[in-house]
Amino acid sequence: MGVEAGSFMTLDEVDELLGRINEAYPDRYTIVPQGSSKMSNGGWTWDGLGDISFIGVIEAGQEDYTVQNLLETDSFKEFTSHTRSWYENGYMMQDCLSNTETGSSMIRNGKAATCFDNGAYYSDLDYHNSGIVRVQLTTAKADTTTISGMCWV
């Protein structure tokens, strides 16, 4: 599909790619949840401050540390407008809330073409030799949940 492993893509570029994938592989789900029923595990570009329900968040990578309502953040609105269009265009698995398989397993068994892999960090070697083409959609971040998780390591 002309995607360079390890490259950075915007959500607008993802929209265009999903359209091409949908045409090329009509027998597969174009995009599926990362986990069994979650599109993205963890915060997209926000920090939930250790609360996995993401009621109050701060925007990751910003200078403003004001706690905000997630539903009112620009990044949440942008992300959900894209995911909604994927659903409406038939790219997204229509029964994703009842899904029991991971996205990576669905890709490997030929049921799906793409999924998110939020929370994973890859070296240059991983981007090229894993059997799956991986690209970045956001910059890497360490947030409250990942930092507090390090205490258990």
Side-chain angles (χ1 to χ4, degrees):
M1 303 304 307
V3 176
E4 177 71 27
S7 64
F8 187 89
M9 292 181 76
T10 66
L11 287 176
D12 289 333
E13 291 170 325
V14 170
D15 292 344
E16 188 270 325
L17 174 64
L18 293 177
R20 292 193 335 245
I21 291 171
N22 191 55
E23 285 182 30
Y25 300 97
D27 58 327
R28 297 181 189 186
Y29 295 116
T30 307
I31 187 166
V32 294
Q34 173 179 342
S36 59
S37 62
K38 292 181 181 178
M39 180 55 76
S40 173
N41 292 340
W44 175 246
T45 59
W46 48 81
D47 180 347
L49 304 172
D51 181 0
I52 61 170
S53 63
F54 296 99
I55 294 171
V57 301
I58 59 173
E59 292 278 359
Q62 304 294 319
E63 296 296 321
D64 181 6
Y65 298 111
T66 304
V67 177
Q68 303 174 61
N69 177 340
L70 171 63
L71 305 179
E72 294 175 357
T73 64
D74 291 338
S75 62
F76 181 81
K77 291 174 188 176
E78 178 188 17
F79 181 70
T80 56
S81 71
H82 283 276
T83 58
R84 179 67 181 156
S85 74
W86 302 340
Y87 186 84
E88 290 172 340
N89 289 325
Y91 304 160
M92 188 181 294
M93 178 184 214
Q94 298 295 300
D95 59 346
C96 61
L97 292 178
S98 61
N99 179 44
T100 59
E101 296 181 69
T102 64
S104 58
S105 68
M106 294 180 77
I107 291 170
R108 291 186 197 284
N109 68 26
K111 290 182 181 179
T114 66
C115 74
F116 283 86
D117 196 1
N118 188 5
Y121 298 95
Y122 298 103
S123 69
D124 288 341
L125 185 64
D126 293 325
Y127 280 115
H128 293 76
N129 295 328
S130 65
I132 294 177
V133 174
R134 291 184 166 99
V135 298
Q136 289 182 273
L137 301 179
T138 63
T139 57
K141 67 177 174 65
D143 60 23
T144 307
T145 303
T146 58
I147 298 301
S148 63
M150 293 300 211
C151 296
W152 295 101
V153 174

